[in-house]
Amino acid sequence: MTAPVDATDVVTEAGASGVTGATDERLRRWRLVLGGDEADGTGCALSGQDAAMDGALGALYGNGGKGQAGRDRSAGLGASAPSVARWLGDIRTYFPSSVVQVMQRDAIDRLGLAALLLEPEMLEAVEADVHLVGTLLFLNKAMPETTKETARAVVRKVVEDLEKRLATRTRATLTGALDRSARISRPRHHDIDWNRTIAANLKHYVPEYRTIVPERLIGYGRASQSVKKEVILCIDQSGSMAASVVYASVFGAVLASMRSIATRLVVFDTAVVDLTDQLDDPVDVLFGTQLGGGTDINRALAYCQSQITRPADTVVVLISDLYEGGIRNEMLKRVSAMKASGVQFVTLLALSDEGAPAYDREHAAALAALGAPAFACTPDLFPEVMAAAIEKRPLPVPDTR
């Protein structure tokens, strides 16, 4: 899970302005961090933009209210939507986008501002990112009709930005993997897989010519219009998996756009919902999820298992923190049975940029013992993981030491 971010991090990222000299700059930053209360011994006075920045930070991180871990935090923004809108405008003026997103998340967590996101004016003022989408999905059922269209527009903007960033590389990587997985024995010259051809013909080495005479050529198959692989994305929609649900929905739409891959998307808590028919629009997928609730991985895998028709050509991707509320032994038996039938089984503890996730280590160890290592995966690594699964080679498990 992401480490808590405090005012120190925000000020450090925000950069420097208005004060010259290394010592003065250091004092200025400490003054912004300490907030000018009795703990402040810097003797540094703020004016102009620095004073305005200090006010924006103080409204969120100053003394006076209760926040995380019982520490004193401010409720300086009050419950007024206009004052919050002004504050959102201020932080977008003084801080870069990455810092604004951190401060928005802190405001929602520390000051209980989630309810204000149900107002269209507030949604139009916030900086949209994956975490905001997760919050909106939590609030979906409580959202008034006047807000839903604005919320969908915010979610669509984030989804389209993610697709632009991830789609091209994903399609290119997986198209190459599909080509390589379809070997042919009479390839054209530009389709020859030279590494495998040389390895297969080493016994035909001719010493006097210092070369290999290839009696058998091995080549790549070219992608055809027929379905070559089937991919089932099985996504845990419990509350802690919000960012993973967003990324998985985007990747599901990208995979569904590839004719040679038949993609199925299944979300679950204690119930199982198949959203495959909505894959042409990941926004519909996201609003079809219901974040929160319990978890029954065994039931979800039972459904996925029932949808497999070509085990040797199927990849099942379970995205879950593995906190199982169902029958643990049955879950492991299903994974074992799928692998024995030829299914490539991938377990992702998270699909996000949020850092090391919390997860059930006992279940992760049990899956690893079955040959299905469980690991967290960033969106940038996901295409490589899928390519390895399609080609039936070892997965690129990140080194977390």
Side-chain angles (χ1 to χ4, degrees), residues 112 301 338 352 380:
L301 291 182
M338 281 189 272
S352 70
D380 288 336

Side-chain angles (χ1 to χ4, degrees), residues 190-209:
H190 63 275
D191 288 338
I192 295 174
D193 182 343
W194 287 108
N195 289 333
R196 292 200 173 198
T197 295
I198 291 170
N201 289 277
L202 287 175
K203 60 184 178 181
H204 303 305
Y205 179 71
V206 182
E208 55 268 33
Y209 293 104

Side-chain angles (χ1 to χ4, degrees), residues 343-365:
V343 171
Q344 295 296 106
F345 195 92
V346 180
T347 309
L348 302 182
L349 302 170
L351 178 56
S352 70
D353 289 310
E354 293 186 318
Y359 64 95
D360 189 308
R361 296 178 181 275
E362 183 179 350
H363 287 166

Side-chain angles (χ1 to χ4, degrees), residues 35-240:
D37 295 322
E38 60 272 10
D40 175 20
T42 63
C44 178
L46 300 177
S47 61
Q49 181 171 304
D50 283 346
M53 185 185 297
D54 183 52
L57 290 167
L60 179 57
Y61 299 109
N63 293 328
K66 282 291 180 183
Q68 288 179 337
R71 292 179 293 178
D72 285 343
R73 292 294 176 194
S74 171
L77 300 181
S80 164
S83 68
V84 176
R86 283 194 297 273
W87 180 78
L88 287 169
D90 287 344
I91 64 175
R92 292 173 77 168
T93 300
Y94 305 134
F95 303 98
S97 176
S98 59
V99 177
V100 169
Q101 292 172 6
V102 171
M103 294 180 74
Q104 285 178 174
R105 293 201 300 273
D106 282 352
I108 291 169
D109 293 341
R110 297 169 188 267
L111 306 182
L113 299 185
L116 290 176
L117 293 178
L118 301 180
E119 301 183 18
E121 307 80 38
M122 290 298 301
L123 283 178
E124 292 170 356
V126 296
E127 187 83 21
D129 67 346
V130 169
H131 302 282
L132 178 63
V133 171
T135 301
L136 292 178
L137 297 181
F138 272 118
L139 299 172
N140 183 26
K141 289 195 177 298
M143 200 174 288
E145 290 300 321
T146 54
T147 307
K148 285 189 175 180
E149 284 307 311
T150 307
R152 288 184 73 89
V154 171
V155 172
R156 187 170 298 282
K157 180 180 182 302
V158 174
V159 166
E160 288 176 351
D161 288 345
L162 290 176
E163 281 190 298
K164 288 177 184 175
R165 178 164 72 88
L166 302 171
T168 301
R169 180 166 172 265
T170 300
R171 290 192 186 100
T173 301
L174 297 191
T175 298
L178 289 164
D179 286 346
R180 289 188 292 273
S181 68
R183 304 292 171 180
I184 55 177
S185 59
R186 299 184 64 183
R188 291 173 293 183
H189 183 268
H190 63 275
D191 288 338
I192 295 174
D193 182 343
W194 287 108
N195 289 333
R196 292 200 173 198
T197 295
I198 291 170
N201 289 277
L202 287 175
K203 60 184 178 181
H204 303 305
Y205 179 71
V206 182
E208 55 268 33
Y209 293 104
R210 301 181 65 185
T211 190
I212 292 172
V213 177
E215 292 188 0
R216 183 166 67 93
L217 299 177
I218 301 174
Y220 301 126
R222 295 293 107 190
S224 68
Q225 300 299 313
S226 61
V227 172
K228 291 183 178 180
K229 295 290 180 179
E230 297 182 0
V231 174
I232 301 176
L233 299 177
C234 185
I235 309 168
D236 183 345
Q237 60 176 351
S238 58
S240 59

Side-chain angles (χ1 to χ4, degrees), residues 274-286:
D274 193 327
L275 297 176
T276 302
D277 60 349
Q278 299 179 33
L279 271 175
D280 59 329
D281 188 345
V283 176
D284 286 342
V285 170
L286 288 172

